[in-house]
Amino acid sequence: MTPDITTKPSETVSYRGADDGGQPLWRKLVRWETALVFVLIAVLIFGSAKESGFLDGTNFFYISLNMGEIAIMALPLTLIVMTGEIDLSVASMLGLSGTVMGSLFHDGWSVWAAMAAALLVGAAGGALNGLLVAKMGLPSIAVTIGTLTLFRGLAEIVLAPRTITGFPISLTKIGVVPVQGTKIAWSALIFLVLAIIFGVVLHATALGRSIVAIGLQPEAARFSGVRVDRIKFGLYVVSGVFCALAGILFTLKNSSVSYDAGTGLELNVVAIVLLGGVSIFGGRGTVIGVVLAVVIVGCLQQALTQMGVQPEVQNIVTGSLLLVSVLVPNSGELVRRIRARRRRGPVPAA
């Protein structure tokens, strides 16, 4: 059970919600999420102007199909970034878990046992990140860049140049058939269910308040009894498991797997989390913002694809969104840090 995080007045940390320094949650929604709604409307208008069938249900099915796995990986990353950390190994874990599942299935394991093994690999990879970051205190950006390369290298060793196919048709149909009676892909439906769960955890539980506290003032949170290291470790394990789940869904969607599956998707995942209003400095963000960002990025990419825009140009657009999503929501914090640095003045020479 998460301990009571009430502290003495001199050590008070504001835990009133997953938002700016104690401001009510509705203030956060009015400021950033409302802007995202207007951006989404603009993207829909843009897409409709370029392609007459952009708002068709079939088109939205393909949008949800393309974004499902990315969106699933964005949810645990949201919580990690809110603690002031980062995980850049998400797409490599997607690839590694998919290769493990494919390799075991090829060697005669049942598909369900192979899926379970893939989830265990995800948990182990997340635990490695959590151990190095939370327990050993290493910088998360350096650790996860290292494990990004490590996981991708392991995937290449497992499969080498092979491509595994032949998965059961009853499972691979989730990549080509929407949920019955809807135009929503199965991976997108799983994301929506998980988004509700993550939203409740972040915004309505003691664990969520502890995550916000860690991002705002980690030392004060530690002194108040929040188990900072344990929570960070747990979040990395959760991230590994859900990235493995995304890897399983990605494999079934494509009816095949190769060691380079998901290469480069970490850029989209990080861009979505930051565009959703999650502060790169930690302590601020909402799940609804991330959900809106998923829809915006998915619709924008679909519009650009239908216009015949090359993937390289789409990467430029994604990178620009990443920069904007860092600068705009965090402009106040950036200004405060610059002013504080100026007030301290130059460091005197020894």
Side-chain angles (χ1 to χ4, degrees), residues 27-73:
R27 290 285 300 276
K28 172 69 177 175
L29 293 173
V30 167
R31 279 174 23 205
W32 186 249
E33 280 72 5
T34 302
L36 289 179
V37 171
F38 283 109
V39 171
L40 176 58
I41 292 173
V43 171
L44 293 176
I45 293 173
F46 171 76
S48 300
K50 297 298 181 180
E51 177 64 42
S52 59
F54 186 77
L55 296 180
D56 289 349
T58 301
N59 199 46
F60 279 110
F61 165 70
Y62 286 112
I63 293 173
S64 64
L65 183 65
N66 292 334
M67 295 301 297
E69 296 83 15
I70 295 172
I72 289 171
M73 292 189 290

Side-chain angles (χ1 to χ4, degrees), residues 214-234:
I214 294 170
L216 289 174
Q217 298 179 34
E219 290 307 314
R222 194 185 305 274
F223 290 144
S224 68
V226 175
R227 297 177 177 178
V228 175
D229 295 345
R230 179 176 295 185
I231 289 175
K232 286 186 178 182
F233 179 83

Side-chain angles (χ1 to χ4, degrees), residues 151-177:
F151 297 158
R152 189 64 68 185
L154 290 173
E156 186 171 4
I157 291 173
V158 171
L159 277 189
R162 294 183 299 164
T163 297
I164 305 298
T165 59
F167 296 100
I169 296 177
S170 59
L171 294 176
T172 57
K173 285 196 304 184
I174 68 172
V176 294
V177 178

